[in-house]
């Protein structure tokens, strides 16, 4: 049966000017960008180790489409699990309102936003309700219509949480779920990761052959940080490789 392509309902405008344009540093970065750009992919799942640029690419493309006239996307929602690194440092009660508490778990996201569109524009998008930093715990009953949703560090949420999130997908919604199972903080004990407890791991295999879902996996060779990072990551991979 021939696949019928979905299309935008209205002609889209020119690509908006963004402070830093996307220039792929690896073939897989370009492939990831293309998978997100494909309108037929409502859900894109991406596994990538540290330094592969998965967050930069996904946030860039989402911002591009949210700011572009004629696309169905009116808002970008970025979600990071509120889990401490290693699930070891118990910081206790964090001061401030909810948005201040959440921000402490999203510093890397804000850095990327500032780098792509600039701090002033990112701040204006928040005030114009075009950009929101969300919390997965509060998504039950929320209707994710006409928006981009990026769940980062997804290895640290449970199957129940990720089910709650994906079942909120509505018309005009594109969702990107990305993570790195080698840096699973929440489901790690005595040096071993209980992969089956991670919602990201569970959802990856549930949707492996599902229409409308695309999968992307970066590897160590896609790391674009300092060459030392690649060598360090290699030592961890030889201890406990994982196939996704």
């Amino acid at each position: 049966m021939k696949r019928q392509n979905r299309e935008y309902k209205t002609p889209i405008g020119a690509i908006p000017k963004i402070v830093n344009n996307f220039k792929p540093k690896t073939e897989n970065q370009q492939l990831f960008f293309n998978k997100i750009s494909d309108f037929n992919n409502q859900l894109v799942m991406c596994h990538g180790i540290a330094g592969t640029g998965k967050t930069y690419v996904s946030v860039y493309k989402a911002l591009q489409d949210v700011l572009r006239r004629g696309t169905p996307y009116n808002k970008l929602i970025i979600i990071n699990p509120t889990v401490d690194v290693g699930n070891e440092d118990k910081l206790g009660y964090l001061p401030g309102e909810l948005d201040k508490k959440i921000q402490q778990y999203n510093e890397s996201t804000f850095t990327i936003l500032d780098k792509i569109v600039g701090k002033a524009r990112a701040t204006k998008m928040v005030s114009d309700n075009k950009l929101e930093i969300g919390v997965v715990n509060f998504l039950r009953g929320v209707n994710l219509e006409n928006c981009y949703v990026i769940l980062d560090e997804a290895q640290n949420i449970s199957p129940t949480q990720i089910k709650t999130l994906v079942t909120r997908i509505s018309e005009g919604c594109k969702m990107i779920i990305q993570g790195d199972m080698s840096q699973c903080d929440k489901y790690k004990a005595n040096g071993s990761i209980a992969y089956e407890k991670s919602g990201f791991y569970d959802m990856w295999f549930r949707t492996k052959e599902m229409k409308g879902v695309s999968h992307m996996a970066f590897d160590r060779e896609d790391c674009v940080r300092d060459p030392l990072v690649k060598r360090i990551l290699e030592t961890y991979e030889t201890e406990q490789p994982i196939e996704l």
Side-chain angles (χ1 to χ4, degrees):
M1 184 176 178
K2 187 176 180 181
R3 186 181 184 185
Q4 185 177 2
N5 288 333
R6 299 164 66 232
E7 296 179 350
Y8 292 113
K9 293 181 179 179
T10 58
I12 60 174
I15 297 175
K17 285 187 176 181
I18 290 179
V19 173
N20 284 314
N21 288 324
F22 170 65
K23 296 177 182 178
K25 295 182 178 180
T26 66
E27 290 184 5
N28 275 338
Q29 279 193 1
Q30 183 64 62
L31 179 59
F32 184 37
F33 183 87
N34 293 344
K35 284 176 179 285
I36 301 171
S37 301
D38 188 341
F39 193 67
N40 293 289
N41 295 331
Q42 278 187 281
L43 172 62
V44 180
M45 297 202 65
C46 175
H47 178 265
I49 59 173
T52 51
K54 57 187 182 295
T55 304
Y56 187 95
V57 174
S58 59
V59 170
Y60 178 91
K61 181 55 183 170
L63 286 169
Q64 189 182 70
D65 280 355
V66 168
L67 294 170
R68 196 172 187 179
R69 179 183 56 80
T71 72
Y73 314 113
N74 300 322
K75 177 192 287 190
L76 167 60
I77 302 174
I78 303 176
I79 303 167
N80 265 298
T82 52
V83 176
D84 298 328
V85 173
N87 205 28
E88 296 169 350
D89 298 320
K90 307 302 181 184
L91 300 180
Y93 176 77
L94 294 174
E97 298 298 325
L98 179 61
D99 59 338
K100 297 298 182 184
K101 299 177 194 290
I102 296 170
Q103 184 170 347
Q104 298 181 60
Y105 292 96
N106 287 276
E107 286 301 333
S108 61
T109 303
F110 284 108
T111 299
I112 289 173
L113 285 166
D114 293 349
K115 188 181 295 185
I116 295 174
V117 294
K119 192 175 186 65
R121 194 171 191 180
T123 302
K124 188 175 189 307
M125 287 184 70
V126 172
S127 64
D128 291 344
N129 200 32
K130 284 188 167 293
L131 175 62
E132 180 181 324
I133 305 300
V135 182
V136 71
N137 308 57
F138 300 153
L139 286 175
R140 192 178 295 277
V142 174
N143 186 10
L144 298 174
E145 189 173 330
N146 297 114
C147 63
Y148 252 91
V149 180
I150 297 176
L151 172 62
D152 212 352
E153 306 295 343
Q155 71 274 5
N156 285 322
I157 71 170
S158 70
T160 299
Q161 288 176 310
I162 207 165
K163 178 184 176 183
T164 299
L165 178 62
V166 298
T167 54
R168 303 277 74 79
I169 294 176
S170 306
E171 184 178 358
C173 174
K174 183 184 287 285
M175 186 174 292
I176 304 165
I177 298 176
Q178 53 200 29
D180 174 8
M181 283 305 301
S182 69
Q183 295 198 55
C184 185
D185 301 300
K186 191 172 182 181
Y187 306 107
K188 192 171 186 178
N190 300 320
S192 297
I193 298 172
Y195 295 112
E196 70 282 356
K197 292 185 179 180
S198 168
F200 178 70
Y201 187 81
D202 179 67
M203 188 58 63
W204 181 282
F205 289 103
R206 285 182 183 274
T207 59
K208 193 68 175 177
E209 304 297 331
M210 193 174 292
K211 183 179 179 181
V213 182
S214 184
H215 294 74
M216 177 75 208
F218 289 96
D219 57 34
R220 177 169 38 83
E221 295 306 314
D222 293 308
C223 180
V224 293
R225 289 184 184 162
D226 191 281
L228 177 60
V229 177
K230 283 187 181 181
R231 297 195 291 274
I232 292 172
L233 288 171
E234 184 177 6
T235 68
Y236 284 96
E237 287 179 3
T238 54
E239 288 179 4
Q240 195 174 33
I242 176 173
E243 294 292 334
L244 281 177

